Amino acid sequence: MSKLLKNKNFWSYVILIVALILFACSFIFQSFSFDRASFAYNVEKLQSGIHKQESDALLVLEDTALIKRLGRGKETLQDQERLYKKDYYFYVYQKAANGRYLMFWNTAVTIIPDSIINDGNDEEFVQLSNGYYYIKKIQQPGLLICYAILIKSQFFITSDYFKESYPLNKELDGLANISNNPGPHVVKSLSGKPIFYLKQRPGAVTGTDDFG
């Protein structure tokens, strides 16, 4: 038998090398698995943010006295202060024979186009001039009420002040792309209806402190 094969040091080195290879493979696999799990966690965090704003909007809609004041253009200063603090955008339209009149809105950031107001959909995911929104429309006697939740800000010209971002979970900034094509990372509304899908950008790696 070869002296090399009899050498105990030789076999010790072989075992050490094999152990190092197995350790490296295990580390790579765990990192890959954690990265996927971390991305999924951040998608769920974004979805939770949407649900929180939807739930808050439902509470506003349940305040019938407030809604009546808004529909008549008789809102109080307290009403304005309450609604201007919301993170979502709230619009109240008064129905008329010749169209609809916007009676109240709590933002100057964006106005929902008439094409979306009149398309007959109760809820939809749309791209406007400054980003992607989830829009919900509620019909009430004499009124149309809408709220819009900003999912991702996006601008034609980006800068330090105008850049792509997911305001409900900034951990996804630079990591995720919005897609209408079905995939494993679906974002649903409070009612359980799929709104859109997120895909991890090629080469993007989520942070290791997402679970903190």
Side-chain angles (χ1 to χ4, degrees):
M1 184 179 293
S2 170
K3 290 183 179 180
L4 182 61
L5 295 178
K6 291 181 180 181
N7 191 318
K8 293 182 179 180
N9 291 334
F10 169 77
W11 288 110
S12 297
Y13 287 131
V14 170
I15 293 173
L16 178 61
I17 292 172
V18 171
L20 289 173
I21 292 173
L22 292 174
F23 175 79
C25 291
S26 175
F27 178 79
I28 293 172
F29 177 77
Q30 289 179 1
S31 298
F32 177 71
S33 299
F34 177 81
D35 186 54
R36 290 193 300 174
S38 180
F39 185 75
Y41 166 80
N42 278 302
V43 174
E44 291 181 2
K45 187 176 178 181
L46 170 64
Q47 180 177 266
S48 296
I50 296 173
H51 292 177
K52 182 178 180 181
Q53 293 196 13
E54 285 191 86
S55 297
D56 188 87
L58 291 176
L59 292 176
V60 174
L61 290 167
E62 289 176 359
D63 190 340
T64 55
L66 169 63
I67 297 301
K68 287 181 180 179
R69 291 195 298 272
L70 296 176
R72 296 170 182 168
K74 301 293 185 181
E75 67 273 6
T76 66
L77 179 60
Q78 290 76 16
D79 294 336
Q80 295 176 1
E81 291 177 347
R82 174 185 176 186
L83 294 172
Y84 288 163
K85 292 178 181 178
K86 301 299 183 184
D87 293 322
Y88 53 89
Y89 305 144
F90 197 81
Y91 310 85
V92 179
Y93 296 83
Q94 186 182 79
K95 297 178 183 178
N98 58 343
R100 296 186 177 92
Y101 296 95
L102 182 59
M103 301 299 294
F104 176 84
W105 61 101
N106 67 344
T107 179
V109 173
T110 189
I111 295 296
I112 303 175
D114 289 341
S115 58
I116 295 175
I117 293 296
N118 299 319
D119 64 10
N121 296 321
D122 293 334
E123 58 181 315
E124 54 191 310
F125 182 66
V126 300
Q127 182 178 10
L128 301 182
S129 60
N130 63 339
Y132 291 86
Y133 289 84
Y134 169 61
I135 296 177
K136 181 81 173 182
K137 290 175 272 185
I138 302 94
Q139 302 283 347
Q140 291 195 6
L143 299 174
L144 172 66
I145 303 167
C146 304
Y147 62 81
I149 299 174
L150 178 61
I151 305 300
K152 180 184 180 182
S153 60
Q154 183 169 289
F155 304 91
F156 292 112
I157 299 176
T158 59
S159 68
D160 291 339
Y161 299 99
F162 300 100
K163 58 184 178 181
E164 293 186 7
S165 180
Y166 294 88
L168 297 177
N169 184 8
K170 293 184 179 295
E171 294 291 338
L172 290 170
D173 291 359
L175 301 178
N177 288 327
I178 289 175
S179 174
N180 290 320
N181 299 320
H185 302 295
V186 58
V187 177
K188 298 180 180 180
S189 67
L190 191 61
S191 65
K193 180 180 178 180
I195 306 174
F196 60 93
Y197 300 86
L198 286 178
K199 292 185 177 180
Q200 189 167 356
R201 289 183 178 179
V205 179
T206 53
T208 58
D209 58 349
D210 295 331
F211 294 97

